Amino acid sequence: MVFSTVGAAFGTGKAGIGIAGLGAFRPELVMKSLIPVVMSGIIAVYGLVVSVLIVGNLDPAQPYPLFTGFVHMGAGLACGLTGMAAGYAIGHVGDACVRAYVHESKVFVTMVLILIFAEVLGLYGFVTNYSAILFG
């Protein structure tokens, strides 16, 4: 959960810097430019869900096998690291595209598509780990 939250925080901060720069020149575009910030927040939710699933599988009354521990650790690390990578990608793309959006409005569709591809990195990690936790 920590790694995905770090990625989400970086993405939010980096995209927020670009949005602040855009707001100085074209304040009417600020609301449309919040997409990278929202998508960064979703990355943190992936880490939260995986951590809740891992904790939900724990039962203090039963022994905790080594294999299950490694599955849980691998699931958490993989989801966290893909979330961190996705957050970095969203932050950099969001910052650059929001700054370009000030000058050219046609960049908006391209920005959204690239952000979707960056978000999918985190989603792949989430889906893989969700299945590992359920079936591992």
Side-chain angles (χ1 to χ4, degrees), residues 12-26:
T12 300
K14 186 81 169 155
I17 291 169
I19 292 169
L22 170 121
F25 296 107
R26 308 257 319 262

PDB file of all heavy atoms in Angstrom, residues 12-26:
ATOM      1  N   THR A  12      -0.010  13.125  -8.164  1.00  0.00           N
ATOM      2  CA  THR A  12      -0.856  14.263  -7.795  1.00  0.00           C
ATOM      3  C   THR A  12      -0.026  15.539  -7.700  1.00  0.00           C
ATOM      4  O   THR A  12      -0.431  16.588  -8.204  1.00  0.00           O
ATOM      5  CB  THR A  12      -1.550  13.991  -6.452  1.00  0.00           C
ATOM      6  OG1 THR A  12      -2.356  12.818  -6.583  1.00  0.00           O
ATOM      7  CG2 THR A  12      -2.417  15.147  -6.037  1.00  0.00           C
ATOM      8  N   GLY A  13       1.131  15.450  -7.074  1.00  0.00           N
ATOM      9  CA  GLY A  13       1.981  16.628  -6.921  1.00  0.00           C
ATOM     10  C   GLY A  13       2.509  17.145  -8.242  1.00  0.00           C
ATOM     11  O   GLY A  13       2.471  18.350  -8.522  1.00  0.00           O
ATOM     12  N   LYS A  14       2.992  16.236  -9.068  1.00  0.00           N
ATOM     13  CA  LYS A  14       3.570  16.631 -10.356  1.00  0.00           C
ATOM     14  C   LYS A  14       2.504  17.214 -11.270  1.00  0.00           C
ATOM     15  O   LYS A  14       2.718  18.248 -11.906  1.00  0.00           O
ATOM     16  CB  LYS A  14       4.240  15.416 -10.993  1.00  0.00           C
ATOM     17  CG  LYS A  14       4.998  15.698 -12.230  1.00  0.00           C
ATOM     18  CD  LYS A  14       6.361  16.243 -11.913  1.00  0.00           C
ATOM     19  CE  LYS A  14       7.182  16.257 -13.190  1.00  0.00           C
ATOM     20  NZ  LYS A  14       8.233  17.237 -13.148  1.00  0.00           N
ATOM     21  N   ALA A  15       1.351  16.565 -11.354  1.00  0.00           N
ATOM     22  CA  ALA A  15       0.265  17.093 -12.189  1.00  0.00           C
ATOM     23  C   ALA A  15      -0.292  18.382 -11.603  1.00  0.00           C
ATOM     24  O   ALA A  15      -0.692  19.291 -12.343  1.00  0.00           O
ATOM     25  CB  ALA A  15      -0.841  16.055 -12.338  1.00  0.00           C
ATOM     26  N   GLY A  16      -0.312  18.486 -10.278  1.00  0.00           N
ATOM     27  CA  GLY A  16      -0.799  19.705  -9.635  1.00  0.00           C
ATOM     28  C   GLY A  16       0.059  20.913  -9.949  1.00  0.00           C
ATOM     29  O   GLY A  16      -0.448  22.033 -10.075  1.00  0.00           O
ATOM     30  N   ILE A  17       1.356  20.701 -10.090  1.00  0.00           N
ATOM     31  CA  ILE A  17       2.249  21.797 -10.469  1.00  0.00           C
ATOM     32  C   ILE A  17       1.889  22.302 -11.861  1.00  0.00           C
ATOM     33  O   ILE A  17       1.818  23.510 -12.105  1.00  0.00           O
ATOM     34  CB  ILE A  17       3.721  21.341 -10.395  1.00  0.00           C
ATOM     35  CG1 ILE A  17       4.111  21.112  -8.952  1.00  0.00           C
ATOM     36  CG2 ILE A  17       4.639  22.353 -11.056  1.00  0.00           C
ATOM     37  CD1 ILE A  17       5.448  20.421  -8.790  1.00  0.00           C
ATOM     38  N   GLY A  18       1.632  21.366 -12.778  1.00  0.00           N
ATOM     39  CA  GLY A  18       1.229  21.776 -14.122  1.00  0.00           C
ATOM     40  C   GLY A  18      -0.109  22.482 -14.135  1.00  0.00           C
ATOM     41  O   GLY A  18      -0.308  23.460 -14.870  1.00  0.00           O
ATOM     42  N   ILE A  19      -1.036  22.025 -13.305  1.00  0.00           N
ATOM     43  CA  ILE A  19      -2.360  22.652 -13.242  1.00  0.00           C
ATOM     44  C   ILE A  19      -2.250  24.059 -12.658  1.00  0.00           C
ATOM     45  O   ILE A  19      -2.935  24.979 -13.108  1.00  0.00           O
ATOM     46  CB  ILE A  19      -3.332  21.772 -12.426  1.00  0.00           C
ATOM     47  CG1 ILE A  19      -3.606  20.477 -13.185  1.00  0.00           C
ATOM     48  CG2 ILE A  19      -4.621  22.503 -12.137  1.00  0.00           C
ATOM     49  CD1 ILE A  19      -4.332  19.433 -12.381  1.00  0.00           C
ATOM     50  N   ALA A  20      -1.382  24.228 -11.681  1.00  0.00           N
ATOM     51  CA  ALA A  20      -1.184  25.564 -11.117  1.00  0.00           C
ATOM     52  C   ALA A  20      -0.611  26.514 -12.160  1.00  0.00           C
ATOM     53  O   ALA A  20      -1.008  27.685 -12.235  1.00  0.00           O
ATOM     54  CB  ALA A  20      -0.259  25.494  -9.910  1.00  0.00           C
ATOM     55  N   GLY A  21       0.310  26.016 -12.982  1.00  0.00           N
ATOM     56  CA  GLY A  21       0.853  26.841 -14.060  1.00  0.00           C
ATOM     57  C   GLY A  21      -0.195  27.175 -15.098  1.00  0.00           C
ATOM     58  O   GLY A  21      -0.250  28.297 -15.620  1.00  0.00           O
ATOM     59  N   LEU A  22      -1.050  26.218 -15.407  1.00  0.00           N
ATOM     60  CA  LEU A  22      -2.134  26.458 -16.363  1.00  0.00           C
ATOM     61  C   LEU A  22      -3.126  27.464 -15.815  1.00  0.00           C
ATOM     62  O   LEU A  22      -3.605  28.330 -16.549  1.00  0.00           O
ATOM     63  CB  LEU A  22      -2.847  25.132 -16.661  1.00  0.00           C
ATOM     64  CG  LEU A  22      -4.142  25.199 -17.439  1.00  0.00           C
ATOM     65  CD1 LEU A  22      -4.023  24.392 -18.703  1.00  0.00           C
ATOM     66  CD2 LEU A  22      -5.282  24.698 -16.595  1.00  0.00           C
ATOM     67  N   GLY A  23      -3.417  27.375 -14.533  1.00  0.00           N
ATOM     68  CA  GLY A  23      -4.396  28.279 -13.921  1.00  0.00           C
ATOM     69  C   GLY A  23      -3.970  29.726 -13.945  1.00  0.00           C
ATOM     70  O   GLY A  23      -4.812  30.628 -13.923  1.00  0.00           O
ATOM     71  N   ALA A  24      -2.676  29.975 -14.004  1.00  0.00           N
ATOM     72  CA  ALA A  24      -2.194  31.351 -14.060  1.00  0.00           C
ATOM     73  C   ALA A  24      -2.500  31.999 -15.411  1.00  0.00           C
ATOM     74  O   ALA A  24      -2.724  33.208 -15.492  1.00  0.00           O
ATOM     75  CB  ALA A  24      -0.694  31.395 -13.796  1.00  0.00           C
ATOM     76  N   PHE A  25      -2.530  31.190 -16.468  1.00  0.00           N
ATOM     77  CA  PHE A  25      -2.738  31.736 -17.808  1.00  0.00           C
ATOM     78  C   PHE A  25      -4.168  31.565 -18.314  1.00  0.00           C
ATOM     79  O   PHE A  25      -4.724  32.457 -18.943  1.00  0.00           O
ATOM     80  CB  PHE A  25      -1.771  31.081 -18.804  1.00  0.00           C
ATOM     81  CG  PHE A  25      -0.341  31.369 -18.513  1.00  0.00           C
ATOM     82  CD1 PHE A  25       0.474  30.383 -17.984  1.00  0.00           C
ATOM     83  CD2 PHE A  25       0.194  32.623 -18.733  1.00  0.00           C
ATOM     84  CE1 PHE A  25       1.799  30.638 -17.700  1.00  0.00           C
ATOM     85  CE2 PHE A  25       1.526  32.887 -18.459  1.00  0.00           C
ATOM     86  CZ  PHE A  25       2.326  31.889 -17.937  1.00  0.00           C
ATOM     87  N   ARG A  26      -4.747  30.382 -18.054  1.00  0.00           N
ATOM     88  CA  ARG A  26      -6.107  30.083 -18.543  1.00  0.00           C
ATOM     89  C   ARG A  26      -6.912  29.423 -17.438  1.00  0.00           C
ATOM     90  O   ARG A  26      -7.074  28.205 -17.389  1.00  0.00           O
ATOM     91  CB  ARG A  26      -6.043  29.143 -19.752  1.00  0.00           C
ATOM     92  CG  ARG A  26      -5.149  29.566 -20.876  1.00  0.00           C
ATOM     93  CD  ARG A  26      -5.822  30.146 -22.089  1.00  0.00           C
ATOM     94  NE  ARG A  26      -7.018  29.535 -22.557  1.00  0.00           N
ATOM     95  CZ  ARG A  26      -7.086  28.662 -23.563  1.00  0.00           C
ATOM     96  NH1 ARG A  26      -5.998  28.266 -24.167  1.00  0.00           N
ATOM     97  NH2 ARG A  26      -8.252  28.215 -23.954  1.00  0.00           N
TER      98      ARG A  26
END
